[in-house]
Amino acid sequence: MMLSAVTRINRHTVMRVIDDIVVSCGGWIEGHTLFSNIAATFRFVLPASGLAGFALRVNALGVHIDAAGLDALAARSPGAGQAGDAEVSGALSMTFLHDEPDMRREIPAVPG
């Protein structure tokens, strides 16, 4: 399940709180990928019974999941043909809206 979202919340805060939300909903983080200070992708696993709570808490944080993502969450929630204890793998791709310049990282020269 692929979810897309945007936020104006500080990326450091969002990353920590998203980790906490996933764990508190009974799931775990498989990993994340950072794309400068522009975007981040979280790979997670949640029980189907935790999907609705995940969506509510993420939205309350100020991370707004798009309509297609909300539909995907609803389709995999219990009562939509999914058992409450079924594991659901997903990815949340977030874009951070801010006025900061792109982060630049020095790439070391490779000898030879």
Side-chain angles (χ1 to χ4, degrees), residues 5-28:
V6 296
T7 187
R8 292 191 180 277
I9 307 299
N10 177 282
R11 68 186 181 282
H12 299 291
T13 300
V14 168
M15 293 178 61
R16 180 181 45 79
V17 176
I18 293 287
D19 284 347
D20 292 344
I21 290 171
V22 169
V23 170
S24 70
C25 289
W28 61 91

Side-chain angles (χ1 to χ4, degrees), residues 34-83:
L34 304 175
F35 303 96
S36 184
N37 60 350
I38 307 272
T41 299
F42 288 83
R43 293 177 315 282
F44 61 88
V45 177
L46 280 170
S49 61
L51 293 175
F54 171 78
L56 289 172
R57 293 182 64 193
V58 166
N59 187 58
L61 172 63
V63 175
H64 305 290
I65 299 172
D66 66 7
L70 294 174
D71 290 344
L73 286 164
R76 288 170 177 81
S77 293
Q82 185 83 307

